[in-house]
Amino acid sequence: MLVLIGAAGCSPAADPVPRTAEVRTSAPSATGSAAPTLAGTTATDVGWVQLMAPMSQQAVNLLTLAVERAAEPRLRAFAVRLRSDHEAELDRLRPLLTRMGLPLTDVHAGHDMPGMVTERDLGAARAAEGPAFDRLVVVQIRDHLRQSAHVSRSEITAGGRADARELAAVLVTAREASLAELERLPGTVRALG
C-alpha cells in the first residue's frame, strides 16, 4: 500500500463535494457469486483497485462532458473512444473489487490526488466553453492518463494477485496509447504548454 499511497499523493482536502462511485450491478452468474478470494492479495492490490475504480469513473464523467461539448471535433472523437475504453475497464475493475471482498464505494471521495478528476474540476469544465473547455479537458485527461499509468506500473511490480497485475498491464498499455493519441490532437501542444 505504501507504494500506491506515495505514488497517488492521497490527501484529504480540497474537494468539498464527496463523490460516490456509480455502481453498475449485473445479474449473478448461473453458478452464483464466487466468494471473495484473498489468497495472495497484498495491500498494493487493494490500494490499486480502490484507486483505479474512482479514477476511471471520474474520468468517464469528464469525458462525457467532452463528448457533448468539445469544440474541436477530433477531441470529441477521442473522448468518445476513451470514454468507451474506461467504461470497459470499469466493467473489469468492479468485479475485481467484488472478488477481493472490497466495497464498491469510493474510499478516496474528497481526497485531492494527482490524476483524479475532482468535483471542482467537473464544475470548472461545466463553466468553461469553447477552446477554454478543450484546454481544461486536455490537461485533466493527460494528468489522469499519466498518473493512472504510473500507479498501475506499481501494481505490476508490487501486486500479489495475478488478475490485478494482468489488468494493470492492460491499463498501462491503454494509457500509453491514449497519451500518444492525445499529444497528436490539434491544439494539444498549446494547451499543455
Side-chain angles (χ1 to χ4, degrees):
M1 180 84 127
L2 294 177
V3 172
L4 289 177
I5 289 175
C10 182
S11 67
D15 199 357
V17 180
R19 290 183 313 275
T20 55
E22 283 182 24
V23 178
R24 284 190 233 160
T25 57
S26 57
S29 68
T31 60
S33 299
T37 55
L38 301 176
T41 300
T42 66
T44 299
D45 298 320
V46 171
W48 174 76
V49 74
Q50 286 184 321
L51 178 60
M52 289 309 301
M55 277 185 85
S56 294
Q57 181 59 59
Q58 288 297 100
V60 165
N61 295 340
L62 180 61
L63 291 164
T64 297
L65 291 174
V67 167
E68 297 165 357
R69 300 184 47 222
E72 167 56 52
R74 286 170 283 194
L75 177 58
R76 195 173 323 115
F78 172 76
V80 167
R81 288 188 303 277
L82 192 58
R83 180 180 67 177
S84 177
D85 292 347
H86 275 55
E87 287 170 340
E89 291 166 4
L90 284 164
D91 287 342
R92 292 183 68 185
L93 286 162
R94 290 182 179 125
L96 181 58
L97 280 162
T98 300
R99 286 194 307 273
M100 292 171 68
L102 299 169
L104 295 175
T105 57
D106 181 357
V107 299
H108 295 286
H111 297 180
D112 186 10
M113 303 167 57
M116 179 74 79
V117 176
T118 65
E119 290 303 318
R120 186 175 46 250
D121 297 331
L122 290 171
R126 287 182 192 104
E129 295 181 12
F133 173 83
D134 288 5
R135 280 190 300 278
L136 187 146
V137 168
V138 165
V139 169
Q140 290 295 321
I141 290 302
R142 187 262 330 252
D143 292 349
H144 161 73
L145 293 169
R146 282 183 175 174
Q147 186 65 20
S148 59
H150 176 71
V151 172
S152 293
R153 283 187 199 95
S154 296
E155 169 60 25
I156 293 166
T157 60
R161 291 182 63 104
D163 54 354
R165 288 191 321 267
E166 177 186 314
L167 181 52
V170 168
L171 289 170
V172 168
T173 300
R175 297 301 188 262
E176 289 172 349
S178 294
L179 278 166
E181 184 178 356
L182 180 66
E183 290 172 6
R184 290 190 302 270
L185 291 176
T188 299
V189 172
R190 279 192 320 267
L192 299 176

